[in-house]
Amino acid sequence: IDFQVKVRGFRIELGEIEAALRRALGLKDAVVVAKGEAADKRLVAYVTPKANASLEVEALKTHLRQGLPEYMVPTTFVVLEALPLNSNGKVDRKALPEPEAPQSGNTYEAPRTEAEAKLASIWAEVLRLPQVGVKDSFFELGGHSLLATQVVSRIRAEFSVELPLRALFEAPTVEALAGRLHGSATSQAPKLTRVSNDGPMPLSFAQQRLWLLDQLQPGDASYNIPTALQLSGHVDVEALRRAFEALVARHDALRTTFHAHQDQPIQTIHAPSGWALPLVDLSAQPEALREEEARRLANEEARRPFDLNKGPLLRSTLVRIAESSHLLLVTMHHIVSDGWSMGVLVREMVAFYEAFATNS
């Protein structure tokens, strides 16, 4: 599980990248990890040079691109004198230092116009950087296609212009993109407003596809989105249950079911209600069997199908391995969620849990 990750929709074997890196000249060893959540997830390579050798990051990226697709090339490289090892002589991944924010190779140049200042501010917020210069490349700073869609959306809101996504790829610096804004078509998109939940509502095109597939093959778990979170330390079970309850009340999609009405699929949003958090206690079992049983339960939960007609389309189970060790199993159906949404769910769950655990 630790060595296979999913980044921006691509399933990646970290060992394959590490093996390719070790073939680079002047490199002694390498470890690749995934940092961040959902759309912010990125590949980070930790590398060590051979004696009297120097490593150039761009040369390493060029080396990787000769045998790997672009999505498998780490966006960040950290050069270390030696990789941290645990007592067994293996790389201690938890001891790897946090990488610094991506840096552009250009000297910082401050925005000169109001448009450049607004664009630099948008980029800094999306990329989570303290500042962005007008000569900096969006993609060299860690940007990718998913983050590019956020930038285009915020430009539409800030400048009231309709800018195609390809414009950011063609003009990847603040300076170049500011020039592209002149003459762009003005956006007249209506403001978003909350619709009434009364009565049946139509499905989006993506939901229609998933609903049809479910009708053709009922009980199929192919579109389950399972997540297993390892929790260390004391867990306030009641605060965790209340956090799920608040999360479901906050998001209509988590209270939605799907039905056929007059030969057409519709969705119905239900009123908030209580939430049950099943607790499976394995702490009484022999210690050697707990991890194996927890893994079995996680696999079983991930493969358990949903009933789109009855719901709920979110499930949660807490597995107690020991007093200070738990496994939180969370599964959603793709018709109400996606990989991006999992990052939102985790962040809000943490916020709700902290609030309920501290009674704040």
Side-chain angles (χ1 to χ4, degrees):
I1 293 176
D2 292 336
F3 305 109
Q4 186 182 81
V5 298
K6 195 171 186 180
V7 178
R8 302 196 297 275
F10 295 102
R11 184 71 64 181
I12 297 173
E13 292 283 353
L14 298 177
E16 188 176 348
I17 307 174
E18 294 171 354
L21 271 173
R22 294 187 184 109
R23 293 192 289 269
L25 295 176
L27 192 144
K28 179 182 179 181
D29 204 355
V31 169
V32 179
V33 299
K35 295 282 188 178
E37 295 291 338
D40 295 328
K41 184 173 285 188
R42 58 190 171 116
L43 295 175
V44 179
Y46 294 86
V47 296
T48 59
K50 292 180 179 179
N52 301 320
S54 61
L55 296 178
E56 294 291 336
V57 170
E58 288 306 316
L60 291 175
K61 289 184 177 181
T62 300
H63 166 76
L64 289 178
R65 290 188 180 105
Q66 293 175 356
L68 297 176
E70 184 65 32
Y71 66 83
M72 292 183 69
V73 177
T75 56
T76 304
F77 283 74
V78 179
V79 181
L80 302 174
E81 292 184 3
L83 297 175
L85 305 178
N86 57 28
S87 58
N88 296 325
K90 296 182 179 180
V91 176
D92 187 353
R93 293 172 180 263
K94 294 182 179 179
L96 292 169
E98 285 296 318
E100 296 180 358
Q103 297 286 333
S104 170
N106 301 311
T107 302
Y108 173 75
E109 292 188 27
R112 297 151 300 191
T113 65
E114 183 180 356
E116 289 181 350
K118 289 181 178 180
L119 285 177
S121 176
I122 291 172
W123 286 22
E125 184 177 354
V126 171
L127 296 171
R128 300 185 181 182
L129 296 175
Q131 65 179 17
V132 173
V134 296
K135 300 288 188 181
D136 294 340
S137 169
F138 178 78
F139 300 101
E140 288 181 4
L141 293 175
H144 49 73
S145 57
L146 289 177
L147 292 179
T149 61
Q150 290 190 43
V151 169
V152 170
S153 176
R154 297 186 188 205
I155 289 175
R156 182 185 298 116
E158 182 69 31
F159 293 89
S160 297
V161 298
E162 198 65 43
L163 194 71
L165 183 61
R166 68 175 182 275
L168 186 54
F169 288 87
E170 296 169 352
T173 66
V174 168
E175 181 182 52
L177 193 61
R180 291 288 298 269
L181 289 177
H182 296 292
S184 298
T186 302
S187 173
Q188 299 294 333
K191 293 183 178 180
L192 294 177
T193 57
R194 176 178 287 273
V195 300
S196 171
N197 293 339
D198 297 333
M201 292 177 288
L203 277 59
S204 69
F205 292 130
Q207 288 176 324
Q208 289 179 22
R209 178 177 65 86
L210 291 170
W211 180 84
L212 178 59
L213 290 172
D214 184 76
Q215 299 301 300
L216 294 174
Q217 194 171 355
D220 182 23
S222 298
Y223 290 95
N224 285 11
I225 303 178
T227 300
L229 300 175
Q230 186 76 44
L231 308 180
S232 300
H234 172 71
V235 172
D236 186 332
V237 179
E238 176 58 17
L240 188 59
R241 185 200 67 77
R242 292 179 63 192
F244 272 104
E245 192 171 80
L247 187 77
V248 173
R250 175 176 169 81
H251 294 284
D252 291 350
L254 301 180
R255 294 180 277 108
T256 300
T257 55
F258 299 82
H259 322 264
H261 178 70
Q262 296 180 352
D263 297 328
Q264 293 294 325
I266 61 169
Q267 57 180 315
T268 302
I269 299 175
H270 302 271
S273 59
W275 186 263
L277 178 63
L279 173 63
V280 180
D281 194 344
L282 305 179
S283 59
Q285 295 190 15
E287 187 173 352
L289 300 179
R290 296 176 196 171
E291 292 289 344
E292 181 180 348
E293 178 62 12
R295 184 179 294 274
R296 187 193 67 79
L297 290 171
N299 289 333
E300 183 180 88
E301 167 58 24
R303 293 182 173 90
R304 188 155 61 96
F306 285 97
D307 186 335
L308 302 188
N309 185 63
K310 294 182 179 179
L313 303 183
L314 164 71
R315 295 193 300 257
S316 61
T317 301
L318 184 64
V319 180
R320 176 173 292 156
I321 300 172
E323 185 61 31
S324 59
S325 177
H326 294 75
L327 191 66
L328 178 61
L329 307 178
V330 181
T331 311
M332 293 190 289
H333 194 282
H334 192 26
I335 201 169
V336 296
S337 184
D338 54 20
W340 185 296
S341 304
M342 288 301 292
V344 176
L345 182 145
V346 171
R347 288 196 299 271
E348 293 192 1
M349 276 296 303
V350 170
F352 279 130
Y353 176 78
E354 289 178 345
F356 290 129
T358 58
N359 294 318
S360 60

